[in-house]
Amino acid sequence: GQISGITSVNIQYEDCANDLAITFKNNNPDQAEAIDEHLVGNCDQDLFNYLNEEKFLIPGKSATKYLDISEEDGWTFVAGEGIRFLPPNIDAEAADASFRSLVNAGCKNDDGTTRPCIIRRFCDSCNRDSHRDIYYKRLTDIPPHDELYLLDLFLNNWASAPANKLGVDFELYSTYEDAVSGTNA
């Protein structure tokens, strides 16, 4: 037998004379609703809605995103991603050691006793407000780098590691004042 095939196709594009969705619905009444899932009506409004649903475009300024945080406020900027991009030192152990030295810098409680400094982790891209601005208060000594890569814990790989258990090794707070006083953990 013989086998044959078509190697070219002639496609002609024409103006529908109407809206494409209306033309499809007129030509395919049994599938009229199917086209609505694939075509938009008012392009500007539908694009705006889509971008907002995906958190790409939200007009105005969010009360909890993109806050101005500076060293003048008492915070030391260590590393960041997104609009706060600042890569840590390329030597992971050196970067982690520098971060640990900031945490162990001997911050003081109101009564004058020393404590580990509080870490503020700000995440502009976090969807939940409750996860956006977090204060981490260390309760136990930070274990060596080979047991807990502290900087990576905050930047990339948050985990409840053997030396990083909530309520045992650390507490999380939504305000600095709560972290210092140990309330509303």
Side-chain angles (χ1 to χ4, degrees), residues 103-115:
V103 176
N104 290 324
C107 290
K108 303 267 186 217
N109 289 315
D110 289 340
D111 65 4
T113 58
T114 61
R115 61 166 168 76

Side-chain angles (χ1 to χ4, degrees), residues 132-146:
R132 194 161 293 137
D133 199 2
I134 303 261
Y135 297 83
Y136 173 99
K137 181 178 185 178
R138 189 76 193 176
L139 303 175
T140 60
D141 290 337
I142 302 169
H145 173 80
D146 60 345

Side-chain angles (χ1 to χ4, degrees), residues 42-180:
N42 176 340
C43 290
D44 291 338
Q45 185 61 46
D46 288 326
L47 179 60
F48 179 83
N49 291 344
Y50 168 77
L51 290 174
N52 275 311
E53 288 166 8
E54 298 300 319
K55 308 285 188 232
F56 293 128
L57 172 70
I58 298 177
K61 184 174 180 186
S62 168
T64 61
K65 282 187 170 184
Y66 315 115
L67 297 180
D68 293 328
I69 300 170
S70 72
E71 294 200 9
E72 293 169 3
D73 300 323
W75 297 103
T76 301
F77 194 61
V78 176
E81 295 180 350
I83 67 163
R84 300 180 193 274
F85 182 70
L86 175 67
N89 186 325
I90 245 172
D91 178 342
E93 202 163 334
D96 194 53
S98 175
F99 185 51
R100 288 161 178 273
S101 70
L102 289 170
V103 176
N104 290 324
C107 290
K108 303 267 186 217
N109 289 315
D110 289 340
D111 65 4
T113 58
T114 61
R115 61 166 168 76
C117 294
I118 293 168
I119 300 168
R120 183 179 188 186
R121 181 181 183 272
F122 196 86
C123 175
D124 293 294
S125 62
C126 289
N127 288 329
R128 297 172 126 188
D129 284 348
S130 62
H131 291 67
R132 194 161 293 137
D133 199 2
I134 303 261
Y135 297 83
Y136 173 99
K137 181 178 185 178
R138 189 76 193 176
L139 303 175
T140 60
D141 290 337
I142 302 169
H145 173 80
D146 60 345
E147 290 179 38
L148 182 68
Y149 184 3
L150 190 65
L151 182 58
D152 186 60
L153 184 79
F154 285 91
L155 289 176
N156 306 307
N157 296 302
W158 182 260
S160 183
N164 196 52
K165 299 266 187 220
L166 179 63
V168 175
D169 298 302
F170 71 94
E171 293 172 335
L172 296 176
Y173 297 88
S174 56
T175 71
Y176 177 74
E177 293 75 21
D178 284 348
V180 170

